[in-house]
Amino acid sequence: MTSTESASGGHQGEPLAPEPVLRVLAPDGSRGSVVPLEVARTARERGRGLLGRDAVRGALLLSPASAVHTLGMRFAIDVAFLDREWRVRSVRTMRPGRLGLPRPWARHVLEAEAGAMAGWGLSPGTRVTIEDTVTGRDTGTSEDAPG
């Protein structure tokens, strides 16, 4: 990777964009865990998700999204379904080769390696925010989709 490629697969000649972070808010609203975050912004990126990878650093945000599958995946993943207010409504661990049911109320989906979300304190009812790593400001949770 050159200095002009992004960690999420940018093309040579494109400037590096700072990666956002996912902030898991504690139940009392205080700032909790900070997790490196990749954002799948296009339909193509959302369709690919974590396919073809052996691991993920942090989490991948699919937005908008309401369902996922693990067909062709190489490892089990945790999947968190979030509503429009960026509140976690459901967390599931999916083994490779599974097809998840759509959640009509879900607006965003987070994917991470199996077991990671429990370590971050991510569970139903938890709220998350997305922060810019340069400014530290919330970049996407006041609107439906980040970026």
Side-chain angles (χ1 to χ4, degrees), residues 17-22 35-39 41 130-133 139 146:
E19 294 287 334
V21 295
L22 178 77
V35 180
L37 182 68
E38 292 179 51
V39 179
R41 289 182 170 87
I130 298 169
E131 295 178 3
D132 181 300
T133 55
T139 63

Side-chain angles (χ1 to χ4, degrees), residues 54-76:
D54 293 319
V56 60
R57 182 179 153 262
L60 174 67
L61 173 65
L62 309 173
S63 181
S66 62
V68 298
H69 69 83
T70 57
L71 302 173
M73 294 281 296
R74 297 178 181 164
F75 57 97

Side-chain angles (χ1 to χ4, degrees), residues 14-63:
E14 291 180 3
L16 277 173
E19 294 287 334
V21 295
L22 178 77
R23 168 97 47 194
V24 179
L25 300 178
D28 65 1
S30 64
R31 294 172 171 242
S33 300
V34 176
V35 180
L37 182 68
E38 292 179 51
V39 179
R41 289 182 170 87
T42 67
R44 183 176 182 175
E45 290 172 343
R46 289 189 300 274
R48 180 168 171 89
L50 296 174
L51 293 175
R53 297 194 196 186
D54 293 319
V56 60
R57 182 179 153 262
L60 174 67
L61 173 65
L62 309 173
S63 181

Side-chain angles (χ1 to χ4, degrees), residues 56-122:
V56 60
R57 182 179 153 262
L60 174 67
L61 173 65
L62 309 173
S63 181
S66 62
V68 298
H69 69 83
T70 57
L71 302 173
M73 294 281 296
R74 297 178 181 164
F75 57 97
I77 60 172
D78 283 347
V79 179
F81 297 91
L82 290 75
D83 61 21
R84 289 183 184 271
E85 286 77 38
W86 297 86
R87 190 168 310 279
V88 176
R89 299 272 305 268
S90 175
V91 178
R92 300 282 182 260
T93 299
M94 293 178 67
R95 295 185 315 238
R98 303 289 183 223
L99 184 61
L101 295 174
R103 271 69 172 186
W105 46 261
R107 180 67 178 163
H108 318 281
V109 175
L110 287 169
E111 296 181 345
E113 288 190 34
M117 291 185 182
W120 302 333
L122 203 69

